[in-house]
Amino acid sequence: MSLQPNENDQYLTETIDWTEQATGQGGRWTDARSMREEFGIAPYNSEAFEYPNVVPNALEHTWAAGPNQDAGGTDFLATGKPGCGKSTFGLSWSIRLLEVNEEKVVWRGSTSRSEWLPLAPWTTVLVPKGVDVSAELVPKNPLHDAIEVDLEDMVRDVKRYEDPVHVNRQLLEPGQFHVLYPDPRMKGCQWVYEEAPERTYEAPGDDRGLFDREDPLNHWWFAYVLARVEKGPNDFLSLILDEIGDIAPEAARSDQFATYQKVELLRDAFVDARKYGLSLFAFGHSERDIHNLIRHKIRWRISMPGSANPTSKNDVIGMDSVPMTNDMTSRYDIGECLPFTERNFERKVRWDDIPAPHDRTLSVDLEVR
């Protein structure tokens, strides 16, 4: 990800000898350096940006904040139509997080999507213990056959976890990229909730807890975020929440699974996440797809190409003002976006393509034994 303004704009990034200057690491070998070499990505340069409080502030994580910088975790919501480049941007952002912060990066695994596959050689996949895991590569053409694969042959490592606390405390490694799949049994989720007595949300009744093995699989993520906030460890961790609308949709209601109550839980955890070093980077098709309780807590936004960026505060829940007065992003090409806060916007940020190894989707089946 170039993370620099367009080459025709006023603000240009100079060519840098990255082996000497990239994030002060010298020539030391890291996963981020390997990824950048593989995909031809130039080194990060914070001086390329007009407003330090927009992209550099969201990307560069620190406990000792300086001018135009927030301490602790950060966040953003990136929205755009299918095919606008959100997933590639998410991969590029993940590489930058590793490069700049050498922190733990976790991509939300989905049983039916696999946009993370370009980073498979560097990936540690995390799956629940006591669950049979099978995978196959599914072609776009339904007339072609799926290919059964072994996850261990596709990625750097596969690890098994007991519960969300086990993931965070023992299995995640700094400077590495992880893909985490949820546990259909919800093992440990209710315990994490009960261990947080200050967080009380109305359970659906019938002697159920807030979390139950009959819950939709996506509800595991509410407990995972809660576990990271309540049980630590309090180092820097970035969670990439692709398709956040699947987890916290605007249509969430107080149903038999307490979906609305769990969205409330996520909202409250969002507030605390910052002081514990947890960054939450969410991607979705539209602002209106994501529940307003969550949008109220997100401080950064990113408008992707092909759709008009907001020009009024009424277009963005959670912001008291929007710095743009004209539509720009509907004319952007794929590979360009517009990040903004209430005060400033970086008018065009670009990232490099990260091609997928093939055109198939990795489908993962999690079957309880």
Side-chain angles (χ1 to χ4, degrees):
M1 178 167 55
S2 297
L3 276 181
Q4 65 187 49
N6 183 271
E7 61 185 0
N8 295 321
D9 290 344
Q10 176 182 356
Y11 307 97
L12 299 177
T13 298
E14 298 178 355
T15 301
I16 298 174
D17 181 356
W18 62 268
T19 60
E20 297 180 358
Q21 300 184 37
T23 67
Q25 302 298 329
R28 187 166 63 83
W29 189 260
T30 63
D31 279 4
R33 175 178 166 181
S34 176
M35 293 173 183
R36 291 199 299 103
E37 279 193 341
E38 176 68 23
F39 299 113
I41 299 173
Y44 173 69
N45 178 11
S46 62
E47 300 300 319
F49 301 98
E50 184 175 5
Y51 296 105
N53 68 309
V54 184
V55 173
N57 190 14
L59 178 65
E60 300 171 19
H61 294 149
T62 179
W63 294 114
N68 296 307
Q69 194 171 31
D70 290 352
T74 58
D75 54 69
F76 66 53
L77 171 60
T79 55
K81 296 177 180 179
C84 70
K86 293 192 300 297
S87 296
T88 304
F89 177 75
L91 293 173
S92 300
W93 187 260
S94 298
I95 294 173
R96 289 305 191 201
L97 290 166
L98 295 171
E99 175 192 2
V100 174
N101 307 307
E102 287 200 65
E103 62 184 272
K104 304 167 183 176
V105 176
V106 174
W107 185 283
R108 178 178 83 93
S110 166
T111 56
S112 60
R113 293 192 307 274
S114 55
E115 288 83 356
W116 56 270
L117 277 178
L119 301 187
W122 302 271
T123 297
T124 295
V125 169
L126 300 154
V127 294
K129 287 184 179 179
V131 173
D132 290 326
V133 180
S134 59
E136 58 182 12
L137 292 171
V138 180
K140 291 183 178 179
N141 188 338
L143 297 179
H144 295 165
D145 294 330
I147 302 173
E148 292 187 6
V149 294
D150 188 335
L151 279 178
E152 294 186 353
D153 294 334
M154 299 183 61
V155 299
R156 170 190 282 170
D157 197 8
V158 176
K159 296 181 179 180
R160 294 271 184 170
Y161 66 84
E162 295 280 358
D163 54 40
V165 175
H166 183 221
V167 172
N168 291 320
R169 287 186 175 179
Q170 298 187 38
L171 300 184
L172 301 181
E173 297 290 341
Q176 293 189 16
F177 181 78
H178 310 78
V179 174
L180 175 57
Y181 286 92
D183 185 350
R185 303 163 307 167
M186 301 288 163
K187 184 178 179 181
C189 294
Q190 180 63 20
W191 173 80
V192 167
Y193 171 63
E194 292 175 355
E195 284 283 299
E198 294 183 1
R199 302 181 187 276
T200 54
Y201 307 89
E202 183 182 354
D206 297 330
D207 297 324
R208 276 177 42 117
L210 191 67
F211 291 93
D212 186 88
R213 65 186 298 150
E214 299 300 322
D215 287 350
L217 185 59
N218 280 337
H219 284 204
W220 186 87
W221 293 101
F222 296 112
Y224 176 73
V225 173
L226 180 64
R228 177 54 177 73
V229 169
E230 292 288 337
K231 299 294 184 180
N234 299 332
D235 52 7
F236 283 117
L237 164 66
S238 285
L239 177 58
I240 310 297
L241 293 167
D242 198 17
E243 302 299 345
I244 182 66
D246 292 349
I247 301 173
E250 180 59 54
R253 297 294 182 265
S254 181
D255 54 21
Q256 60 178 320
F257 305 115
T259 303
Y260 179 81
Q261 289 85 343
K262 289 169 184 166
V263 170
E264 289 183 307
L265 182 154
L266 181 60
R267 172 202 60 192
D268 296 341
F270 233 108
V271 176
D272 292 333
R274 305 164 189 170
K275 62 185 179 184
Y276 297 123
L278 174 61
S279 298
L280 298 162
F281 300 114
F283 295 79
H285 292 161
S286 168
E287 281 262 343
R288 296 179 180 86
D289 292 339
I290 298 100
H291 203 283
N292 66 85
L293 291 180
I294 306 303
R295 286 184 279 159
H296 270 293
K297 302 303 177 184
I298 300 178
R299 295 167 291 173
W300 284 264
R301 295 296 205 280
I302 297 178
S303 290
M304 302 297 291
S307 301
N309 56 263
T311 56
S312 166
K313 67 178 183 180
N314 296 327
D315 297 329
V316 183
I317 290 180
M319 288 190 172
D320 294 329
S321 62
V322 170
M324 297 84 67
T325 57
N326 298 305
D327 166 38
M328 293 171 281
T329 53
S330 62
R331 299 185 297 275
Y332 282 8
D333 295 325
I334 293 176
E336 302 171 336
C337 69
L338 187 151
F340 63 96
T341 64
E342 289 185 326
R343 292 187 295 151
N344 302 114
F345 66 93
E346 198 68 51
R347 60 192 178 117
K348 188 176 287 189
V349 167
R350 296 179 296 133
W351 60 94
D352 299 302
D353 187 28
I354 300 179
H358 47 72
D359 62 356
R360 290 175 177 248
T361 298
L362 179 69
S363 175
V364 175
D365 183 55
L366 304 171
E367 184 177 350
V368 177
R369 295 173 186 171

